[in-house]
């Protein structure tokens, strides 16, 4: 399998905002974007994106998972970055039209078609460091992806970082490239020095998220994760997993989780932890690293509840279970 997100469809949907209105969406080559070197995005990072998937069902239909929720977050990110307002209906049509154009390329489960809507400021004005771009561009790029777990399920090693945050507090709920870039150096350092897979940012002892995923602690029938605020990303997969957990009768707690409580609960034999995100859905965490010491989560292996929740979500996405929450858009 090619590395996730490195294979692209040859065409994408695109639309441009000229300061007054959006152009009619069109399909162009995926290598066709030309930008002025003074474009706002290149200097002041006025950009946001989304990540969602389309799945092929056994009856041959193509179904996009939670498109409405992703478009809502896309619109919110654009607003919080002071980018021109997107038209949510148009963005939805762009997504559906380009996926429909390449429906024959949507892989069979457990593969899927990864969908990447992107919005960025285009105004050529390097003097606008404190002023938003009045022009912008949005496009929808497609990438067929295989089974994220094709190499086998493994548990992750996370470094608990109490002295730094993933990004600026007021930027956390925006899905912007700068947030990911700001986490790269800590992640690289953790990998090099501690063989960690990711950094779990816990500023001041408050367990938040990793560089690219939300964090969930599973202790028996309890699922514990940070309550939504502007400091971290409001993950669509996170919300989906929590909804399924409630459907299964689990005690879902969205609240503050401290490092001390995390380590105390992790020491229990049956405790589990996982990262949620579009790519990996729900990936088990086996080891926490804190102040030079390693702490296994439960028995350090793959948790049964983690696998059950992930399978329940996959079954909905793949059309093997009832979509009782209306999460799928059939095209």
């Amino acid at each position: 399998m090619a590395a996730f997100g490195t294979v692209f469809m040859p065409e994408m949907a695109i639309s441009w905002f000229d300061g007054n209105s959006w152009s009619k969406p069109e399909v162009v080559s995926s290598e066709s974007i030309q930008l002025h070197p003074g474009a706002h995005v290149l200097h002041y990072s006025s950009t946001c994106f989304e990540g969602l998937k389309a799945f092929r069902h056994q009856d041959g239909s193509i179904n996009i998972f939670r498109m409405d929720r992703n478009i809502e977050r896309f619109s919110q990110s654009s607003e919080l970055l002071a980018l021109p307002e997107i038209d949510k209906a148009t963005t939805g049509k762009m997504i559906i039209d380009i996926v429909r154009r390449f429906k024959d390329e949507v892989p069979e489960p457990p593969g899927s078609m990864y969908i990447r809507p992107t919005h960025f400021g285009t105004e050529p004005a390097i003097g606008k460091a404190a002023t938003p771009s009045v022009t912008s561009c949005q496009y929808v790029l497609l990438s067929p992806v295989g089974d994220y777990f094709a190499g086998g399920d493994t548990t992750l090693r996370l470094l608990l970082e109490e002295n730094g945050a993933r990004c600026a507090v007021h930027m956390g709920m925006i899905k912007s490239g700068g947030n990911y870039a700001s986490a790269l150096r800590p992640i690289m350092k953790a990998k090099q020095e501690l063989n960690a897979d990711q950094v779990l940012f816990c500023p001041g002892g408050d367990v938040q998220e990793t560089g690219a995923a939300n964090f969930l602690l599973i202790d028996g029938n309890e699922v514990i994760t940070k309550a939504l605020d502007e400091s971290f990303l409001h993950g669509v997969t996170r919300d989906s997993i929590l909804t399924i957990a409630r459907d299964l009768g689990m005690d879902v707690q969205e609240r503050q989780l401290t490092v001390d409580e995390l380590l105390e609960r992790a020491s229990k034999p049956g405790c589990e932890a996982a990262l949620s995100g579009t790519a990996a859905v729900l990936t088990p965490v086996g080891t926490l690293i804190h102040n030079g010491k390693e702490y296994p989560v439960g028995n350090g292996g793959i948790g049964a509840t983690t696998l059950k929740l992930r399978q329940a979500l996959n079954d909905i996405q793949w059309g093997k279970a009832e979509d009782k929450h209306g999460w799928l858009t059939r095209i």
Side-chain angles (χ1 to χ4, degrees):
M1 182 182 69
F4 187 96
T6 59
V7 176
F8 301 99
M9 292 295 93
E11 295 175 319
M12 63 182 181
I14 196 167
S15 178
W16 301 82
F17 187 76
D18 64 6
N20 294 299
S21 61
W22 285 97
S23 67
K24 182 179 179 180
E26 55 183 331
V27 174
V28 300
S29 166
S30 294
E31 300 180 3
S32 67
I33 289 181
Q34 287 187 312
L35 285 180
H36 190 283
H40 199 274
V41 62
L42 300 178
H43 300 268
Y44 305 118
S45 300
S46 51
T47 177
C48 59
F49 64 93
E50 274 303 319
L52 61 160
K53 287 177 176 176
F55 298 88
R56 180 179 299 280
H57 287 190
Q58 195 167 17
D59 63 3
S61 67
I62 305 301
N63 297 263
I64 303 174
F65 185 70
R66 303 206 72 176
M67 183 181 75
D68 293 348
R69 184 66 178 260
N70 280 273
I71 291 174
E72 285 291 339
R73 190 172 63 179
F74 192 46
S75 175
Q76 175 182 271
S77 292
S78 297
E79 178 185 351
L80 294 176
L81 285 172
L83 281 164
E85 181 180 3
I86 67 165
D87 181 278
K88 289 182 280 191
T90 299
T91 300
K93 188 175 187 305
M94 289 171 67
I95 292 171
I96 290 172
D97 286 351
I98 197 66
V99 172
R100 186 174 285 149
R101 187 179 184 91
F102 290 102
K103 64 181 181 180
D104 292 343
E105 304 299 324
V106 178
E108 297 281 349
S112 60
M113 182 68 80
Y114 187 85
I115 307 166
R116 174 54 64 92
T118 304
H119 186 198
F120 59 92
T122 58
E123 184 180 2
I126 60 175
K128 299 191 72 172
T131 309
S133 175
V134 299
T135 63
S136 68
C137 173
Q138 67 168 317
Y139 63 83
V140 181
L141 189 64
L142 301 181
S143 176
V145 294
D147 181 6
Y148 191 87
F149 299 98
D153 246 333
T154 58
T155 59
L156 301 180
R157 293 166 50 84
L158 303 186
L159 171 65
L160 307 186
E161 175 56 73
E162 295 187 71
N163 298 316
R166 174 177 178 256
C167 61
V169 173
H170 67 284
M171 290 287 289
M173 63 191 290
I174 305 172
K175 196 168 178 67
S176 179
N179 291 350
Y180 292 81
S182 68
L184 288 178
R185 291 279 292 180
I187 294 169
M188 291 168 61
K189 183 178 180 182
K191 287 181 178 180
Q192 182 178 22
E193 297 180 358
L194 300 166
N195 193 32
D197 296 292
Q198 260 289 355
V199 173
L200 178 56
F201 292 96
C202 312
D206 178 32
V207 178
Q208 295 188 345
E209 63 183 334
T210 68
N214 292 133
F215 177 81
L216 291 83
L217 180 67
I218 303 169
D219 186 359
N221 195 50
E222 296 175 282
V223 180
I224 305 169
T225 190
K226 182 174 173 61
L228 296 178
D229 62 26
E230 66 178 10
S231 70
F232 75 108
L233 190 65
H234 301 181
V236 177
T237 304
R238 170 193 178 278
D239 180 77
S240 304
I241 290 292
L242 295 184
T243 300
I244 290 171
R246 291 188 182 99
D247 289 346
L248 295 173
M250 299 187 72
D251 177 15
V252 175
Q253 302 173 24
E254 296 182 74
R255 60 171 175 82
Q256 184 182 33
L257 174 65
T258 65
V259 168
D260 289 342
E261 181 183 359
L262 170 58
L263 293 176
E264 180 183 350
R265 286 181 178 263
S267 66
K268 298 179 182 180
C271 193
E272 304 173 32
L275 300 184
S276 65
T278 301
V281 185
L282 201 61
T283 304
V285 174
T287 305
L288 303 174
I289 307 168
H290 184 244
N291 290 338
K293 184 177 178 181
E294 297 192 4
Y295 299 83
V297 179
N299 62 11
I302 300 169
T305 304
T306 298
L307 293 181
K308 180 175 71 173
L309 290 170
R310 187 174 78 200
Q311 189 63 56
L313 180 55
N314 281 154
D315 285 347
I316 296 171
Q317 293 172 328
W318 298 340
K320 296 181 179 180
E322 180 187 1
D323 175 26
K324 62 182 180 180
H325 296 288
W327 286 343
L328 296 172
T329 299
R330 186 180 178 116
I331 66 168

